[in-house]
């Protein structure tokens, strides 16, 4: 079989949760959410080629990332292939691929790097195999792989509900720049939710869009930051007090509000311009507990999804 195929390259962005409200634990062990998520201009790169053998191949420039069948990229590819076969697609039309992953999004950081990689794998293979499945159909597979994948079908700005898999686009926020503070602390998600439960947190009534949400989109960074909440900060800082201390120190140094993304450990603050963001990063120079980067907030996606 001869396949006309140039390598496809995708920029898979990191997300931040600008606003994250979490409800009580559900019977299935997950928590219902209300979150406003946006992408940032921090990207992993996925390069896909036809595989040379009848199996998936994954390589990564970060040697501490497993590249076997446990990696979400391979799990996503295998799940889509399986679903397509079940739908009656001839397996010969679903050739295996080799994926080269260039990792720039830190892991265990609450930035959704693995989810972004997996969501882009689904979108890439949907094209490569000419399945042309609509996003809702891809989403059924995405939701089996993790709560954060679905957002990436609707980037750069969207609200996520359910356990994260119900996504509706939102306008992008007005601030153009984000300072990402990347502590040298890894924060696995399940213990943070467990601590959330232990602290008795989570109220159903918080799981609604803020009444004035539409007006949030036109607020400056200084106006928007005080409205943003992350209900996972309390359990994350309870588990890792050093992260809470770091957040306080950065807030004091910058004299502005700093929030955590997802279940941590990354922190962020918003700024109206890149110049202001660079000024903020310069103020943080010399602190060895973290690295800080300036990236665009909610950059336009590489191509419509
Ligand atoms: O879906 P994902 O793999 O991101 O979830 C990781 C863990 O985070 C889950 O096993 C669960 O403990 C917790 N979680 C949750 N409620 C959510 C999302 C995640 O309790 N909405």
């Amino acid at each position: 079989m001869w396949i006309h195929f140039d390598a496809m390259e995708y920029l898979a962005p990191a997300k931040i949760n600008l606003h994250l409200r979490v409800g009580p634990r559900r019977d299935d062990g997950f928590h219902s959410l209300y979150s406003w998520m946006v992408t940032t201009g921090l990207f992993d790169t996925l390069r896909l080629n036809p595989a040379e053998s009848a199996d998936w191949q994954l390589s990564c420039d970060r040697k501490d990332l497993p590249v076997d069948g446990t990696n979400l990229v391979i799990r996503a590819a295998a799940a889509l292939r399986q679903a397509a076969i079940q739908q009656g697609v001839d397996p010969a039309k679903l050739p295996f691929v080799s994926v080269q992953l260039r990792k720039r999004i830190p892991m265990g950081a609450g930035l959704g790097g693995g989810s972004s990689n997996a969501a882009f794998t689904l979108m890439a293979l949907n094209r490569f195999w000419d399945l042309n499945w609509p996003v809702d159909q891809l989403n059924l597979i995405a939701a089996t792989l993790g709560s954060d994948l679905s957002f990436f079908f609707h980037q750069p700005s969207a609200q996520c509900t359910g356990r994260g898999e119900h996504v509706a686009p939102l306008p992008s926020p007005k601030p153009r720049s984000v300072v990402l503070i990347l502590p040298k602390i890894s924060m696995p998600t399940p213990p943070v939710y467990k601590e959330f439960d232990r602290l008795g947190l989570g109220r159903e009534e918080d799981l609604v869009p803020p009444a004035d949400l539409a007006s949030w989109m036109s607020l400056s960074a200084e106006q928007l930051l005080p409205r943003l909440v992350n209900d996972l900060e309390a359990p994350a800082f309870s588990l890792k007090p050093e992260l809470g201390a770091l957040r306080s120190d950065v807030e004091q140094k910058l004299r502005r509000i700093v929030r955590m993304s997802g279940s941590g450990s990354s922190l962020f603050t918003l700024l109206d311009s890149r110049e202001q963001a660079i000024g903020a990063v310069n103020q943080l120079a010399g602190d060895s507990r973290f690295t800080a980067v300036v990236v665009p907030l909610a950059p336009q996606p590489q191509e419509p999804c």
Side-chain angles (χ1 to χ4, degrees), residues 2 17 42 51 58 117 154 259:
W2 179 254
N17 302 79
L42 177 65
L58 176 63
N117 297 167
H154 300 275
R259 294 254 77 95

Side-chain angles (χ1 to χ4, degrees), residues 22 29-33 115 145-148 162-164 189-191 193-194:
V22 180
F30 286 90
H31 296 71
S32 293
L33 310 174
S115 302
L145 298 166
S147 307
D148 281 347
R163 52 177 264 257
T189 302
Y193 276 100
K194 222 170 162 190

Side-chain angles (χ1 to χ4, degrees), residues 102 175 186 247:
R102 207 185 76 156
S186 177
R247 195 268 288 269

Side-chain angles (χ1 to χ4, degrees), residues 292-303:
V293 290
V294 174
V295 284
L297 187 64
Q300 276 313 302
Q302 171 194 19
E303 57 186 296

